[in-house]
Coordinates of all heavy atoms in Angstrom, one line a residue:
M42 N 17.3 -30.4 11.4 CA 17.9 -29.1 12.0 C 17.1 -28.8 13.2 O 15.9 -28.5 13.0 CB 18.1 -28.0 11.1 CG 18.6 -26.8 11.6 SD 18.9 -25.6 10.3 CE 17.8 -24.3 10.8
T43 N 17.7 -28.7 14.4 CA 16.9 -28.2 15.6 C 17.3 -26.8 15.9 O 18.5 -26.5 15.9 CB 17.3 -29.1 16.8 OG1 17.0 -30.5 16.5 CG2 16.5 -28.6 18.0
L44 N 16.3 -25.9 16.0 CA 16.5 -24.5 16.3 C 16.6 -24.3 17.8 O 15.9 -25.0 18.6 CB 15.4 -23.7 15.7 CG 15.2 -23.6 14.2 CD1 13.9 -22.9 13.9 CD2 16.3 -22.9 13.6
R45 N 17.4 -23.3 18.1 CA 17.4 -22.8 19.5 C 16.1 -21.9 19.7 O 15.5 -21.4 18.6 CB 18.6 -22.0 19.8 CG 19.9 -22.8 19.8 CD 21.1 -22.0 20.3 NE 21.0 -20.6 20.2 CZ 21.8 -19.8 19.4 NH1 22.7 -20.3 18.6 NH2 21.6 -18.5 19.3
I46 N 15.7 -21.8 20.9 CA 14.5 -21.0 21.1 C 14.6 -19.5 20.6 O 13.7 -19.1 19.9 CB 14.1 -21.0 22.6 CG1 13.7 -22.4 23.0 CG2 13.0 -20.0 22.9 CD1 13.4 -22.6 24.4
D47 N 15.8 -19.0 20.8 CA 15.9 -17.6 20.4 C 16.0 -17.5 18.8 O 15.4 -16.6 18.2 CB 17.2 -17.0 20.9 CG 18.5 -17.7 20.5 OD1 18.4 -18.9 20.3 OD2 19.6 -17.1 20.5
E48 N 16.5 -18.5 18.2 CA 16.5 -18.6 16.6 C 15.1 -18.7 16.1 O 14.7 -18.0 15.2 CB 17.4 -19.7 16.2 CG 18.9 -19.5 16.4 CD 19.6 -20.8 16.0 OE1 19.1 -21.9 16.1 OE2 20.8 -20.6 15.6
A49 N 14.3 -19.6 16.9 CA 13.0 -19.9 16.4 C 12.1 -18.7 16.6 O 11.3 -18.3 15.7 CB 12.4 -21.1 17.2
A50 N 12.3 -17.9 17.7 CA 11.6 -16.7 18.0 C 11.9 -15.7 17.0 O 10.9 -15.0 16.4 CB 11.9 -16.1 19.4
K51 N 13.2 -15.5 16.5 CA 13.5 -14.6 15.5 C 12.8 -14.9 14.2 O 12.3 -14.1 13.5 CB 15.0 -14.5 15.4 CG 15.5 -13.5 14.4 CD 17.0 -13.3 14.3 CE 17.4 -12.3 13.4 NZ 18.8 -12.2 13.3
R52 N 12.9 -16.2 13.8 CA 12.3 -16.7 12.5 C 10.8 -16.5 12.6 O 10.1 -16.0 11.6 CB 12.6 -18.0 12.3 CG 14.0 -18.3 11.8 CD 14.3 -19.7 11.4 NE 15.7 -19.8 11.0 CZ 16.1 -20.9 10.4 NH1 15.3 -21.9 10.1 NH2 17.4 -21.1 10.1
A53 N 10.2 -16.7 13.7 CA 8.7 -16.5 13.8 C 8.3 -15.0 13.6 O 7.4 -14.7 13.0 CB 8.2 -17.0 15.2
T54 N 9.1 -14.1 14.3 CA 8.9 -12.7 14.1 C 9.0 -12.3 12.7 O 8.2 -11.5 12.2 CB 9.8 -11.9 15.0 OG1 9.6 -12.3 16.4 CG2 9.6 -10.5 14.9
N55 N 10.1 -12.8 12.0 CA 10.3 -12.5 10.6 C 9.1 -13.0 9.8 O 8.7 -12.2 8.8 CB 11.6 -13.0 10.1 CG 12.8 -12.3 10.7 OD1 12.7 -11.2 11.2 ND2 14.0 -12.9 10.6
L56 N 8.7 -14.1 10.0 CA 7.5 -14.7 9.3 C 6.3 -13.8 9.6 O 5.5 -13.6 8.6 CB 7.3 -16.1 9.7 CG 6.1 -16.8 9.1 CD1 6.3 -16.9 7.6 CD2 6.0 -18.2 9.6
Q57 N 6.1 -13.5 10.8 CA 4.9 -12.6 11.1 C 5.0 -11.3 10.3 O 4.0 -10.8 9.8 CB 4.8 -12.3 12.6 CG 4.4 -13.5 13.4 CD 4.5 -13.2 14.9 OE1 5.3 -12.4 15.4 NE2 3.7 -13.9 15.6
H58 N 6.1 -10.7 10.2 CA 6.3 -9.5 9.5 C 6.0 -9.6 8.0 O 5.4 -8.8 7.4 CB 7.7 -8.8 9.8 CG 7.8 -8.3 11.1 ND1 9.1 -8.2 11.7 CD2 7.0 -8.0 12.1 CE1 9.0 -7.7 12.9 NE2 7.7 -7.6 13.2
R59 N 6.6 -10.7 7.5 CA 6.3 -11.0 6.0 C 4.9 -11.2 5.7 O 4.4 -10.7 4.8 CB 7.2 -12.2 5.5 CG 8.7 -12.0 5.3 CD 9.3 -12.9 4.4 NE 8.9 -14.3 4.6 CZ 9.5 -15.2 5.3 NH1 10.6 -14.9 6.0 NH2 9.1 -16.5 5.4
L60 N 4.2 -12.0 6.6 CA 2.8 -12.2 6.4 C 1.9 -10.9 6.6 O 1.1 -10.7 5.8 CB 2.3 -13.3 7.4 CG 2.8 -14.7 7.1 CD1 2.3 -15.7 8.2 CD2 2.3 -15.2 5.8
W61 N 2.3 -10.1 7.5 CA 1.6 -8.9 7.7 C 1.8 -8.0 6.5 O 0.8 -7.4 6.0 CB 2.1 -8.1 9.0 CG 1.3 -6.9 9.3 CD1 0.1 -6.8 10.0 CD2 1.7 -5.6 8.9 NE1 -0.2 -5.5 10.0 CE2 0.7 -4.7 9.4 CE3 2.8 -5.0 8.2 CZ2 0.8 -3.4 9.1 CZ3 2.7 -3.7 8.0 CH2 1.7 -2.8 8.4
N62 N 3.0 -7.8 6.1 CA 3.4 -7.0 4.9 C 2.7 -7.6 3.6 O 2.1 -6.8 2.8 CB 4.8 -6.9 4.7 CG 5.5 -6.0 5.7 OD1 4.8 -5.0 6.1 ND2 6.7 -6.2 6.0
G63 N 2.7 -8.9 3.5 CA 2.0 -9.5 2.4 C 0.5 -9.3 2.4 O -0.2 -9.0 1.3
E64 N -0.1 -9.4 3.6 CA -1.6 -9.2 3.7 C -1.9 -7.7 3.4 O -2.9 -7.4 2.7 CB -2.0 -9.6 5.1 CG -3.5 -9.3 5.3 CD -4.0 -9.7 6.7 OE1 -3.2 -9.7 7.6 OE2 -5.2 -10.1 6.7
R65 N -1.1 -6.8 3.9 CA -1.2 -5.4 3.6 C -1.2 -5.1 2.1 O -2.0 -4.3 1.6 CB -0.2 -4.6 4.3 CG -0.2 -3.1 4.2 CD 0.8 -2.5 5.1 NE 1.1 -1.1 4.8 CZ 2.0 -0.7 3.9 NH1 2.9 -1.6 3.4 NH2 2.2 0.6 3.6
A66 N -0.2 -5.7 1.5 CA -0.1 -5.5 0.0 C -1.3 -6.1 -0.7 O -1.8 -5.5 -1.7 CB 1.2 -6.2 -0.5
L67 N -1.7 -7.3 -0.3 CA -2.9 -7.9 -0.9 C -4.1 -7.1 -0.8 O -4.9 -6.9 -1.7 CB -3.1 -9.3 -0.3 CG -4.4 -10.1 -0.7 CD1 -4.3 -10.3 -2.2 CD2 -4.4 -11.4 0.1
K68 N -4.3 -6.5 0.4 CA -5.5 -5.7 0.6 C -5.4 -4.4 -0.3 O -6.4 -4.0 -0.8 CB -5.7 -5.2 2.1 CG -6.1 -6.4 2.9 CD -6.1 -6.0 4.4 CE -6.6 -7.1 5.3 NZ -6.6 -6.7 6.7
A69 N -4.3 -3.8 -0.3 CA -4.1 -2.6 -1.2 C -4.4 -3.0 -2.6 O -5.0 -2.2 -3.4 CB -2.7 -2.0 -1.0
L70 N -3.7 -4.1 -3.1 CA -4.0 -4.5 -4.5 C -5.4 -4.7 -4.8 O -5.9 -4.3 -5.9 CB -3.1 -5.8 -4.7 CG -2.9 -6.2 -6.1 CD1 -2.3 -5.2 -7.0 CD2 -2.1 -7.5 -6.2
T71 N -6.1 -5.4 -3.9 CA -7.6 -5.7 -4.1 C -8.3 -4.3 -4.2 O -9.2 -4.2 -5.2 CB -8.1 -6.5 -2.9 OG1 -7.4 -7.7 -2.8 CG2 -9.6 -6.7 -3.1
W72 N -8.0 -3.3 -3.4 CA -8.6 -2.1 -3.5 C -8.3 -1.3 -4.7 O -9.1 -0.7 -5.4 CB -8.3 -1.3 -2.2 CG -9.1 0.0 -2.1 CD1 -10.3 0.0 -1.4 CD2 -8.8 1.2 -2.5 NE1 -10.9 1.4 -1.5 CE2 -9.9 2.1 -2.1 CE3 -7.9 1.8 -3.3 CZ2 -10.0 3.5 -2.4 CZ3 -7.8 3.2 -3.5 CH2 -8.9 4.0 -3.2
L73 N -7.0 -1.4 -5.1 CA -6.5 -0.6 -6.2 C -7.1 -1.1 -7.6 O -7.2 -0.4 -8.6 CB -4.9 -0.6 -6.3 CG -4.3 0.3 -5.3 CD1 -2.9 -0.1 -5.1 CD2 -4.5 1.8 -5.6
K74 N -7.4 -2.4 -7.6 CA -7.9 -3.1 -8.8 C -9.4 -3.0 -9.0 O -10.0 -3.6 -9.8 CB -7.4 -4.5 -8.9 CG -6.0 -4.6 -9.3 CD -5.6 -6.0 -9.6 CE -4.2 -5.9 -10.1 NZ -4.0 -6.6 -11.4
Q75 N -10.1 -2.2 -8.2 CA -11.6 -2.1 -8.3 C -11.8 -1.4 -9.7 O -11.1 -0.5 -10.1 CB -12.1 -1.1 -7.3 CG -12.0 -1.7 -5.8 CD -12.6 -0.7 -4.9 OE1 -13.8 -0.5 -4.8 NE2 -11.6 0.0 -4.2
P76 N -13.0 -1.8 -10.2 CA -13.4 -1.2 -11.5 C -13.7 0.2 -11.4 O -14.3 0.6 -10.4 CB -14.5 -2.0 -12.0 CG -14.7 -3.2 -11.0 CD -13.8 -3.0 -9.9
D77 N -13.2 1.0 -12.3 CA -13.5 2.5 -12.2 C -13.1 3.2 -10.9 O -13.8 4.1 -10.4 CB -15.0 2.8 -12.5 CG -15.4 2.3 -13.9 OD1 -14.5 2.4 -14.8 OD2 -16.5 1.9 -14.0
L78 N -12.0 2.8 -10.3 CA -11.5 3.3 -9.1 C -11.3 4.8 -9.2 O -11.8 5.5 -8.3 CB -10.2 2.7 -8.7 CG -9.4 3.3 -7.5 CD1 -10.2 3.0 -6.2 CD2 -8.0 2.8 -7.5
I79 N -10.7 5.3 -10.2 CA -10.4 6.7 -10.3 C -11.7 7.5 -10.4 O -11.8 8.6 -9.8 CB -9.5 7.0 -11.5 CG1 -8.1 6.4 -11.2 CG2 -9.3 8.5 -11.7 CD1 -7.1 6.4 -12.4
K80 N -12.6 6.9 -11.1 CA -13.9 7.7 -11.3 C -14.7 7.7 -10.0 O -15.3 8.7 -9.7 CB -14.7 6.9 -12.4 CG -16.1 7.5 -12.7 CD -16.8 6.7 -13.8 CE -18.1 7.2 -14.0 NZ -18.9 6.4 -15.0
H81 N -14.8 6.7 -9.3 CA -15.7 6.6 -8.1 C -15.0 6.9 -6.8 O -15.8 7.3 -5.9 CB -16.3 5.2 -8.1 CG -17.1 4.8 -9.3 ND1 -18.3 5.6 -9.6 CD2 -17.0 3.9 -10.2 CE1 -18.8 5.1 -10.8 NE2 -18.1 4.0 -11.1
A82 N -13.7 6.7 -6.6 CA -13.1 6.9 -5.3 C -12.9 8.4 -4.9 O -12.8 8.7 -3.8 CB -11.7 6.1 -5.3
D83 N -12.9 9.3 -5.9 CA -12.7 10.7 -5.7 C -11.4 10.9 -4.8 O -11.5 11.5 -3.8 CB -13.9 11.3 -5.0 CG -13.8 12.9 -4.9 OD1 -13.2 13.5 -5.8 OD2 -14.4 13.5 -4.0
L84 N -10.3 10.3 -5.3 CA -9.1 10.4 -4.6 C -8.6 11.9 -4.6 O -8.6 12.5 -5.7 CB -8.0 9.5 -5.3 CG -8.5 8.1 -5.3 CD1 -7.5 7.3 -6.2 CD2 -8.5 7.5 -4.0
R85 N -8.2 12.4 -3.5 CA -7.7 13.7 -3.5 C -6.8 14.0 -2.3 O -6.8 13.1 -1.3 CB -8.9 14.7 -3.4 CG -9.9 14.4 -2.3 CD -11.3 14.9 -2.4 NE -11.4 16.4 -2.4 CZ -11.5 17.2 -3.4 NH1 -11.6 16.7 -4.6 NH2 -11.6 18.5 -3.4
I86 N -6.1 15.0 -2.2 CA -5.2 15.4 -1.1 C -6.1 16.3 -0.2 O -6.7 17.2 -0.6 CB -4.1 16.3 -1.7 CG1 -3.2 15.4 -2.6 CG2 -3.2 16.8 -0.5 CD1 -2.0 16.2 -3.2
V87 N -5.9 15.9 1.1 CA -6.5 16.7 2.1 C -5.5 17.2 3.1 O -4.4 16.6 3.2 CB -7.6 16.0 3.0 CG1 -8.8 15.8 2.0 CG2 -7.1 14.8 3.5
S88 N -5.7 18.2 3.9 CA -4.7 18.7 4.8 C -5.2 18.5 6.3 O -6.3 18.7 6.5 CB -4.5 20.2 4.6 OG -3.6 20.8 5.5
Q89 N -4.3 18.1 7.1 CA -4.6 18.1 8.5 C -4.8 19.4 9.2 O -5.4 19.6 10.2 CB -3.4 17.3 9.3 CG -3.3 15.9 8.9 CD -2.2 15.2 9.7 OE1 -1.5 15.9 10.6 NE2 -2.1 14.0 9.5
W90 N -4.4 20.5 8.4 CA -4.7 21.9 8.8 C -6.1 22.3 8.6 O -6.6 23.3 8.9 CB -3.7 22.8 8.2 CG -2.3 22.7 8.6 CD1 -1.8 22.0 9.7 CD2 -1.2 23.3 8.0 NE1 -0.5 22.2 9.7 CE2 0.0 23.0 8.8 CE3 -0.9 24.1 6.9 CZ2 1.2 23.3 8.4 CZ3 0.3 24.5 6.5 CH2 1.4 24.2 7.3
G91 N -6.8 21.5 7.8 CA -8.2 21.8 7.4 C -8.2 22.8 6.3 O -7.2 23.2 5.7
S92 N -9.4 23.2 5.9 CA -9.5 24.1 4.8 C -10.0 25.4 5.2 O -10.6 26.2 4.4 CB -10.3 23.5 3.7 OG -11.6 23.2 4.1
S93 N -9.9 25.7 6.4 CA -10.5 27.0 7.0 C -9.6 28.2 6.5 O -10.1 29.3 6.4 CB -10.7 27.0 8.5 OG -9.4 26.7 9.2
N94 N -8.3 28.0 6.4 CA -7.4 29.0 6.0 C -7.5 29.2 4.5 O -7.4 28.2 3.7 CB -6.0 28.6 6.4 CG -5.0 29.6 5.9 OD1 -4.7 29.8 4.8 ND2 -4.3 30.1 6.9
D95 N -7.8 30.4 4.0 CA -8.0 30.6 2.6 C -6.8 30.2 1.7 O -6.9 29.6 0.6 CB -8.3 32.1 2.3 CG -9.7 32.5 2.8 OD1 -10.5 31.6 2.9 OD2 -9.9 33.7 2.9
G96 N -5.5 30.4 2.2 CA -4.4 30.0 1.5 C -4.3 28.5 1.4 O -4.0 28.0 0.3
N97 N -4.6 27.8 2.4 CA -4.5 26.4 2.5 C -5.6 25.8 1.5 O -5.3 24.9 0.7 CB -4.7 25.9 3.9 CG -4.5 24.4 4.1 OD1 -3.6 23.8 3.4 ND2 -5.2 23.7 4.9
K98 N -6.8 26.4 1.6 CA -7.8 25.9 0.8 C -7.6 26.1 -0.7 O -7.7 25.2 -1.5 CB -9.2 26.7 1.1 CG -10.4 26.1 0.4 CD -11.6 26.9 0.8 CE -12.8 26.3 0.1 NZ -14.0 27.0 0.6
A99 N -7.0 27.2 -1.1 CA -6.6 27.5 -2.5 C -5.5 26.6 -2.9 O -5.5 26.1 -4.0 CB -6.2 29.0 -2.6
A100 N -4.5 26.4 -2.1 CA -3.4 25.5 -2.4 C -3.9 24.1 -2.6 O -3.5 23.3 -3.6 CB -2.3 25.5 -1.3
L101 N -4.8 23.6 -1.7 CA -5.4 22.3 -2.0 C -6.2 22.1 -3.3 O -6.1 21.1 -4.0 CB -6.4 21.9 -0.7 CG -5.6 21.7 0.5 CD1 -6.6 21.4 1.7 CD2 -4.8 20.4 0.4
E102 N -6.8 23.2 -3.7 CA -7.6 23.2 -5.0 C -6.6 23.0 -6.1 O -6.8 22.1 -7.0 CB -8.3 24.4 -5.1 CG -9.5 24.5 -4.2 CD -10.3 25.8 -4.3 OE1 -9.9 26.7 -5.1 OE2 -11.2 26.0 -3.5
Y103 N -5.5 23.7 -6.1 CA -4.4 23.5 -7.1 C -3.8 22.2 -7.1 O -3.6 21.5 -8.1 CB -3.3 24.6 -6.9 CG -3.7 25.9 -7.5 CD1 -4.0 27.0 -6.7 CD2 -3.8 26.2 -8.9 CE1 -4.4 28.3 -7.2 CE2 -4.1 27.5 -9.4 CZ -4.4 28.5 -8.5 OH -4.8 29.7 -9.0
L104 N -3.4 21.7 -5.9 CA -2.8 20.4 -5.7 C -3.8 19.3 -6.3 O -3.3 18.4 -7.0 CB -2.5 20.2 -4.3 CG -1.3 20.9 -3.8 CD1 -1.3 20.8 -2.2 CD2 -0.1 20.4 -4.3
N105 N -5.1 19.4 -6.0 CA -6.0 18.4 -6.4 C -6.2 18.4 -7.9 O -6.5 17.4 -8.5 CB -7.3 18.4 -5.6 CG -7.2 17.9 -4.3 OD1 -6.6 16.8 -4.1 ND2 -7.5 18.5 -3.3
I106 N -6.1 19.5 -8.6 CA -6.2 19.6 -10.0 C -5.0 18.9 -10.7 O -5.2 18.1 -11.6 CB -6.2 21.1 -10.5 CG1 -7.6 21.8 -10.1 CG2 -6.0 21.2 -12.0 CD1 -7.6 23.2 -10.3
E107 N -3.8 19.1 -10.1 CA -2.6 18.5 -10.6 C -2.7 17.0 -10.4 O -2.3 16.2 -11.1 CB -1.4 19.1 -10.1 CG -1.2 20.5 -10.6 CD -1.2 20.6 -12.1 OE1 -0.5 19.8 -12.8 OE2 -1.8 21.6 -12.6
L108 N -3.1 16.6 -9.2 CA -3.3 15.2 -8.8 C -4.2 14.5 -9.8 O -3.9 13.4 -10.2 CB -3.8 15.1 -7.3 CG -4.0 13.7 -6.8 CD1 -2.7 12.9 -6.8 CD2 -4.6 13.7 -5.4
A109 N -5.3 15.1 -10.1 CA -6.3 14.5 -11.0 C -5.6 14.2 -12.3 O -5.9 13.1 -12.9 CB -7.5 15.4 -11.2
K110 N -4.8 15.1 -12.8 CA -4.1 14.9 -14.1 C -3.1 13.7 -14.0 O -3.0 13.0 -15.1 CB -3.3 16.1 -14.4 CG -4.1 17.3 -14.8 CD -3.2 18.6 -15.0 CE -4.0 19.8 -15.2 NZ -3.1 21.0 -15.3
A111 N -2.5 13.4 -12.9 CA -1.6 12.4 -12.8 C -2.1 11.1 -12.1 O -1.4 10.2 -12.0 CB -0.4 12.9 -11.9
M112 N -3.4 11.1 -11.8 CA -3.9 10.0 -11.0 C -3.8 8.6 -11.6 O -3.5 7.7 -11.0 CB -5.4 10.3 -10.6 CG -6.0 9.3 -9.6 SD -4.9 9.0 -8.1 CE -5.3 10.7 -7.3
E113 N -4.0 8.5 -12.9 CA -4.0 7.2 -13.5 C -2.6 6.7 -13.4 O -2.4 5.4 -13.2 CB -4.4 7.3 -15.1 CG -4.6 6.1 -15.7 CD -5.2 6.1 -17.0 OE1 -6.0 7.1 -17.2 OE2 -5.0 5.2 -17.8
K114 N -1.6 7.4 -13.7 CA -0.2 6.9 -13.6 C 0.1 6.6 -12.1 O 0.7 5.5 -11.9 CB 0.8 8.0 -14.0 CG 2.2 7.4 -14.0 CD 3.3 8.4 -14.4 CE 4.7 8.0 -14.3 NZ 5.1 7.1 -13.3
I115 N -0.3 7.4 -11.2 CA -0.1 7.1 -9.7 C -0.7 5.7 -9.3 O -0.1 4.9 -8.7 CB -0.6 8.2 -8.8 CG1 0.3 9.4 -9.0 CG2 -0.6 7.9 -7.4 CD1 -0.3 10.8 -8.5
V116 N -2.0 5.5 -9.7 CA -2.6 4.3 -9.4 C -2.0 3.2 -10.1 O -1.9 2.1 -9.5 CB -4.2 4.4 -9.7 CG1 -4.8 3.0 -9.7 CG2 -4.9 5.4 -8.9
T117 N -1.6 3.3 -11.3 CA -0.9 2.2 -12.0 C 0.4 1.8 -11.3 O 0.7 0.7 -11.1 CB -0.6 2.6 -13.5 OG1 -1.9 2.8 -14.1 CG2 0.1 1.5 -14.3
D118 N 1.2 2.8 -11.0 CA 2.4 2.6 -10.2 C 2.2 2.0 -8.9 O 2.9 1.1 -8.4 CB 3.2 3.9 -10.1 CG 3.8 4.5 -11.4 OD1 3.7 3.7 -12.4 OD2 4.3 5.6 -11.4
A119 N 1.2 2.4 -8.1 CA 0.9 1.9 -6.8 C 0.5 0.4 -6.9 O 0.9 -0.4 -6.1 CB -0.2 2.7 -6.2
T120 N -0.4 0.2 -8.0 CA -0.8 -1.3 -8.2 C 0.4 -2.2 -8.5 O 0.5 -3.2 -7.9 CB -1.8 -1.3 -9.3 OG1 -2.9 -0.4 -9.1 CG2 -2.3 -2.7 -9.7
R121 N 1.3 -1.7 -9.3 CA 2.5 -2.5 -9.7 C 3.3 -2.7 -8.5 O 3.8 -3.9 -8.2 CB 3.3 -1.7 -10.8 CG 4.4 -2.5 -11.4 CD 5.1 -1.8 -12.5 NE 4.0 -1.4 -13.5 CZ 3.9 -0.1 -14.0 NH1 4.8 0.8 -13.7 NH2 3.0 0.2 -14.8
Q122 N 3.5 -1.7 -7.6 CA 4.3 -1.8 -6.4 C 3.7 -2.8 -5.3 O 4.3 -3.7 -4.8 CB 4.6 -0.5 -5.7 CG 5.5 -0.7 -4.5 CD 6.9 -1.2 -4.9 OE1 7.5 -0.7 -5.8 NE2 7.4 -2.1 -4.1
A123 N 2.3 -2.8 -5.3 CA 1.7 -3.7 -4.4 C 1.7 -5.1 -4.8 O 1.9 -6.0 -4.1 CB 0.1 -3.2 -4.3
Q124 N 1.6 -5.3 -6.2 CA 1.8 -6.6 -6.7 C 3.2 -7.1 -6.4 O 3.3 -8.3 -6.0 CB 1.6 -6.6 -8.3 CG 1.7 -7.9 -9.0 CD 0.6 -8.9 -8.6 OE1 -0.5 -8.5 -8.8 NE2 0.9 -10.1 -8.1
R125 N 4.3 -6.3 -6.6 CA 5.6 -6.7 -6.4 C 5.7 -7.1 -4.9 O 6.4 -8.1 -4.6 CB 6.6 -5.7 -6.7 CG 7.0 -5.6 -8.2 CD 8.2 -4.8 -8.5 NE 8.0 -3.4 -8.1 CZ 7.6 -2.3 -8.9 NH1 7.5 -2.7 -10.2 NH2 7.5 -1.2 -8.5
D126 N 5.2 -6.2 -4.0 CA 5.4 -6.4 -2.6 C 4.6 -7.8 -2.1 O 5.1 -8.6 -1.4 CB 4.7 -5.4 -1.7 CG 5.7 -4.2 -1.8 OD1 6.9 -4.3 -2.2 OD2 5.2 -3.0 -1.4
M127 N 3.4 -8.0 -2.7 CA 2.7 -9.2 -2.4 C 3.5 -10.4 -2.8 O 3.6 -11.5 -2.1 CB 1.3 -9.2 -3.1 CG 0.4 -10.4 -2.7 SD -1.1 -10.4 -3.6 CE -0.6 -10.8 -5.3
D128 N 4.0 -10.4 -4.1 CA 4.8 -11.5 -4.6 C 6.0 -11.8 -3.7 O 6.4 -12.9 -3.4 CB 5.2 -11.2 -6.1 CG 4.1 -11.3 -7.0 OD1 3.0 -11.8 -6.6 OD2 4.3 -10.8 -8.1
N129 N 6.7 -10.7 -3.3 CA 7.9 -10.8 -2.5 C 7.6 -11.3 -1.2 O 8.3 -12.3 -0.6 CB 8.6 -9.4 -2.4 CG 9.9 -9.5 -1.6 OD1 10.7 -10.3 -1.8 ND2 10.0 -8.6 -0.6
Y130 N 6.6 -10.9 -0.5 CA 6.3 -11.3 0.9 C 5.6 -12.6 1.0 O 5.9 -13.4 1.8 CB 5.5 -10.2 1.6 CG 6.3 -9.0 1.9 CD1 5.9 -7.7 1.4 CD2 7.4 -9.0 2.7 CE1 6.6 -6.7 1.7 CE2 8.2 -7.9 3.0 CZ 7.7 -6.7 2.5 OH 8.4 -5.5 2.8
L131 N 4.7 -12.9 0.1 CA 3.8 -14.1 0.1 C 4.3 -15.2 -0.8 O 4.1 -16.4 -0.6 CB 2.4 -13.8 -0.1 CG 1.7 -12.9 0.9 CD1 0.3 -12.6 0.5 CD2 1.9 -13.4 2.3
G132 N 5.1 -14.8 -1.8 CA 5.5 -15.8 -2.8 C 6.7 -16.6 -2.4 O 7.0 -17.6 -2.9
R133 N 7.4 -16.1 -1.3 CA 8.5 -16.9 -0.8 C 8.1 -17.9 0.2 O 9.0 -18.6 0.8 CB 9.5 -15.9 -0.1 CG 10.1 -14.8 -1.0 CD 11.1 -14.0 -0.4 NE 10.6 -13.3 0.8 CZ 11.3 -12.8 1.7 NH1 12.6 -12.9 1.7 NH2 10.7 -12.1 2.7
Q134 N 6.8 -18.0 0.6 CA 6.4 -18.9 1.7 C 6.5 -20.4 1.1 O 6.0 -20.6 0.0 CB 5.1 -18.7 2.1 CG 4.8 -17.2 2.6 CD 5.8 -16.9 3.7 OE1 6.0 -17.6 4.6 NE2 6.5 -15.7 3.5
A135 N 7.1 -21.3 1.8 CA 7.1 -22.7 1.5 C 5.7 -23.2 1.6 O 5.0 -22.9 2.6 CB 8.1 -23.4 2.4
E136 N 5.4 -24.1 0.7 CA 4.1 -24.8 0.8 C 4.1 -25.9 1.8 O 5.0 -26.8 1.8 CB 3.6 -25.4 -0.6 CG 3.4 -24.3 -1.6 CD 2.2 -23.5 -1.3 OE1 1.2 -24.0 -0.7 OE2 2.2 -22.3 -1.6
H137 N 3.2 -25.9 2.8 CA 3.2 -27.0 3.8 C 1.8 -27.5 3.9 O 0.9 -26.8 4.1 CB 3.6 -26.4 5.2 CG 5.0 -26.0 5.3 ND1 6.1 -26.8 5.3 CD2 5.5 -24.8 5.3 CE1 7.1 -26.1 5.4 NE2 6.9 -24.9 5.4
D138 N 1.6 -28.8 3.6 CA 0.3 -29.5 3.7 C 0.2 -30.3 4.9 O 1.1 -30.9 5.4 CB 0.0 -30.2 2.4 CG -0.1 -29.3 1.2 OD1 -0.6 -28.2 1.4 OD2 0.3 -29.7 0.1

């Protein structure tokens, strides 16, 4: 099958996007699977507004308390999604030697 140049360009762009998304998922998965991630990463919510405003600072404290309670489930769900994305984007690639 011979491709037209415009068809080949479209397929190449789609392939680049799949590879970029697959690499992104792979990097995320590698980071998420670090031993003791929750203990050492100090994952928390921060605000672009900063914490100079007392109301914002207090709200961030409450949010981070609740986030800490749910962090294990969040990391598990994010890891599962990154694995699915990696499989989807990179698992569909044909093997060429």
Side-chain angles (χ1 to χ4, degrees):
M42 173 173 120
T43 302
L44 293 173
R45 293 188 336 243
I46 292 174
D47 61 332
E48 292 172 330
K51 183 177 180 180
R52 286 186 182 194
T54 299
N55 289 340
L56 178 58
Q57 288 172 331
H58 291 160
R59 281 199 325 263
L60 290 174
W61 183 85
N62 286 326
E64 182 180 25
R65 182 175 164 265
L67 175 60
K68 287 178 180 179
L70 190 58
T71 301
W72 192 86
L73 288 164
K74 288 193 169 232
Q75 293 179 75
D77 297 325
L78 172 71
I79 295 171
K80 178 180 175 184
H81 298 300
D83 191 26
L84 301 171
R85 53 197 298 103
I86 296 172
V87 296
S88 171
Q89 292 181 0
W90 290 348
S92 59
S93 60
N94 179 298
D95 286 340
N97 190 36
K98 185 175 181 178
L101 287 171
E102 289 173 5
Y103 280 107
L104 288 168
N105 283 312
I106 289 168
E107 294 304 315
L108 178 63
K110 293 176 187 176
M112 187 54 70
E113 189 169 332
K114 181 182 181 328
I115 292 169
V116 169
T117 299
D118 291 349
T120 302
R121 192 174 307 131
Q122 184 61 51
Q124 180 72 54
R125 278 193 300 262
D126 287 349
M127 185 183 70
D128 292 345
N129 182 46
Y130 291 119
L131 299 178
R133 297 186 301 160
Q134 305 303 314
E136 295 293 327
H137 297 287
D138 293 326

